[in-house]
Amino acid sequence: MVTPERSQIGGAPELRVLALNSGSSSLKFGLYRVGSSRTEMLLGGQAESIGEHKGKFCAHNLCRNESISETLPIFSQRDAILRIVRLLAESKMAAPAAIGHRIVHGGPILRQHCLINSSVLRQLDAASAFAPLHTPSALSVIHYAQEQFPGLAQVACFDTAFHAQLADVARILPIAKEWQSEGLERYGFHGLSCESIVRQLGSRVPSRLIIAHLGNGVSVSAIKDGRSIDTSMGLTPSGGVIMGTRSGDLDPGVLLYLMREQKFSAAMLEDLVDRRSGLLGISGLDSDMRRLHEAAASNADAHLAIQMFCYSLRKQLAAMIAVLNGVDQIVFTGGIGENDAMVRETICDGLSWIGVRLDAARNQSGTNPINDPASRCAVRVIASQEDEQIAHHTRSLFLRSIGGQRPL
């Protein structure tokens, strides 16, 4: 077995950490060298279309500047983990000292990033009902990682942790108290992404910050002095604004109607809300914003889907401006937020009443800041670094678990 590499630079222990970010049919991974003030990716990639005969596996070795791209059967998360293990062996890199996992939802008990033990695994399993699209696959990845890296410290990093201190006025749902006690409340998600933005801004974090994470999943968070005070997603990642295949917030009467008149079961409702709504449902074409842009000129439904998406975001941004009593900076992140200048422009055009103005050329190129100098609010595009954030937390918790002693 390869001995995990740990090093000491400038008195601060550096560790190699493997970050695993699992989706329902994908697994992103990154091997990082992590110190107290810097993080360096050594190797990274992704397994896609897990569960299919034609899965995809791609990786890039930054040390050697080598890339691979394969089409192969990836029938389960175990197959993905085995391919990552083989890649690490082929790269001849030292094994990681610890492994960090992104966990979307820890339920009402697991609110802070933590080392994984048998108790944590039981609590995660019990909380799987809160995120049935995500937690079962994440648990599988944890089990297979434990199998392939026996005895290695593993850490759970929760997307809900950043929002764990929401005040009651933002956290509590307007339902009977008996159900509140069952853990039915607003949790918020994309916390690792938000943490990474705050970390990247460092001393430049403004007092009133709004983070718009726009990807297949979409959320808007209000950050006051570096802490989350409100966010658009609620009990589950299905709530909030319009997303790729998720509806976001719906009139509860819609679901009651479908149950009562159309005899929808819970599984049918889940499929509708999570897999057949949002941009896909509106357009009837695709959930990918790039495909919708291509079709919008000749397809009215594709055009409407884009407009509804931006309209939904504009309303939520305005709500967060009200929560913060103003705004100093808006940050766009996530796949759409980082790459779609047209969406950013459409959203911000609707915020001119608050003094938000973009510089067209800078917005098109993504050159920060993308706001016009006359704008009353700074607007930036910052890449989400969820996996780097996982690596940071994993290093911190690992060192804490050994009493902060100098690694050998």
Side-chain angles (χ1 to χ4, degrees):
M1 181 178 178
V2 179
T3 303
E5 179 185 274
R6 308 169 194 170
S7 62
Q8 191 89 6
I9 296 181
E14 284 200 339
L15 301 180
R16 290 200 181 200
V17 172
L18 178 63
L20 298 176
N21 188 337
S22 62
S24 56
S25 61
S26 66
L27 178 61
K28 292 196 297 182
F29 63 93
L31 181 67
Y32 295 88
R33 181 186 290 122
V34 191
S36 58
S37 60
R38 71 165 188 168
T39 303
E40 178 188 6
M41 176 182 271
L42 306 174
L43 182 70
Q46 181 168 337
E48 299 177 286
S49 302
I50 295 174
E52 300 180 16
H53 286 274
K54 291 188 176 181
K56 297 179 181 179
F57 185 85
C58 59
H60 184 63
N61 185 324
L62 283 82
C63 298
R64 299 180 182 177
N65 195 27
E66 296 175 350
S67 296
I68 62 169
S69 181
E70 303 172 341
T71 299
L72 71 167
I74 307 177
F75 296 116
S76 68
Q77 283 85 3
R78 185 173 188 272
D79 291 332
I81 291 290
L82 287 172
R83 184 63 187 91
I84 293 169
V85 169
R86 182 155 61 89
L87 178 69
L88 291 174
E90 292 167 349
S91 71
K92 301 188 185 304
M93 290 185 183
I99 299 176
H101 300 264
R102 175 181 175 238
I103 307 295
V104 169
H105 207 316
I109 296 176
L110 297 172
R111 298 298 186 101
Q112 299 299 326
H113 313 306
C114 62
L115 287 166
I116 295 172
N117 56 29
S118 57
S119 175
V120 168
L121 288 174
R122 286 194 299 271
Q123 290 167 343
L124 280 175
D125 186 56
S128 61
F130 288 97
L133 291 179
H134 301 89
T135 303
S137 60
L139 280 168
S140 295
V141 169
I142 292 171
H143 288 305
Y144 296 138
Q146 290 177 327
E147 173 187 286
Q148 294 301 312
F149 298 92
L152 214 61
Q154 308 221 17
V155 169
C157 298
F158 298 102
D159 251 345
T160 52
F162 186 68
H163 308 291
Q165 303 304 315
L166 291 179
D168 287 352
V169 69
R171 179 181 60 82
I172 292 177
L173 294 173
I175 57 176
K177 282 188 175 294
E178 62 191 277
W179 298 111
Q180 294 175 21
S181 63
E182 294 292 318
L184 300 187
E185 60 183 63
R186 298 182 67 248
Y187 288 85
F189 301 90
H190 289 144
L192 291 164
S193 176
C194 290
E195 285 182 1
S196 80
I197 299 302
V198 171
R199 177 175 56 81
Q200 290 177 76
L201 287 172
S203 61
R204 297 175 295 132
V205 174
S207 178
R208 300 173 300 182
L209 170 67
I210 294 176
I211 299 174
H213 182 111
L214 315 184
N216 190 49
V218 179
S219 69
V220 180
S221 298
I223 314 300
K224 178 70 171 174
D225 298 325
R227 299 185 63 180
S228 174
I229 63 168
D230 206 345
T231 188
S232 58
M233 284 178 167
L235 173 70
T236 74
S238 301
V241 295
I242 292 170
M243 303 178 224
T245 63
R246 296 174 232 167
S247 64
D249 289 343
L250 278 177
D251 176 353
V254 172
L255 305 184
L256 293 173
Y257 172 86
L258 292 171
M259 292 172 65
R260 184 176 59 247
E261 302 297 330
Q262 302 299 324
K263 311 305 179 188
F264 267 47
S265 65
M268 293 168 69
L269 289 175
E270 180 181 69
D271 182 58
L272 173 67
V273 167
D274 285 332
R275 301 181 184 89
R276 297 196 293 117
S277 296
L279 293 173
L280 175 62
I282 299 164
S283 69
L285 179 67
D286 209 306
S287 64
D288 191 316
M289 185 64 78
R290 293 167 295 186
R291 303 290 84 78
L292 296 180
H293 280 309
E294 292 169 359
S298 58
N299 186 311
D301 288 335
H303 177 74
L304 178 62
I306 296 169
Q307 293 302 305
M308 286 180 64
F309 179 86
C310 295
Y311 184 75
S312 174
L313 263 298
R314 190 185 309 151
K315 289 201 296 183
Q316 191 62 63
L317 279 161
M320 293 304 173
I321 291 171
V323 165
L324 287 166
N325 195 26
V327 61
D328 300 313
Q329 184 171 149
I330 297 170
V331 170
F332 287 98
T333 191
I336 298 173
E338 294 165 27
N339 298 294
D340 198 322
M342 183 183 296
V343 164
R344 294 194 300 261
E345 178 185 0
T346 305
I347 292 169
C348 290
D349 278 351
L351 298 174
S352 59
W353 58 274
I354 198 69
V356 177
R357 292 176 57 182
L358 296 187
D359 179 291
R362 296 178 75 87
N363 178 49
Q364 192 64 40
S365 64
T367 303
N368 281 319
I370 65 171
N371 58 280
D372 185 279
S375 178
R376 293 175 59 186
C377 167
V379 186
R380 303 180 73 86
V381 178
I382 301 178
S384 176
Q385 295 181 349
E386 290 179 331
D387 294 350
E388 288 89 336
Q389 202 65 30
I390 292 170
H392 274 282
H393 290 306
T394 301
R395 171 188 178 272
S396 177
L397 284 163
F398 174 80
L399 292 178
R400 197 181 308 166
S401 73
I402 60 174
Q405 66 193 52
R406 174 174 175 166
L408 300 175

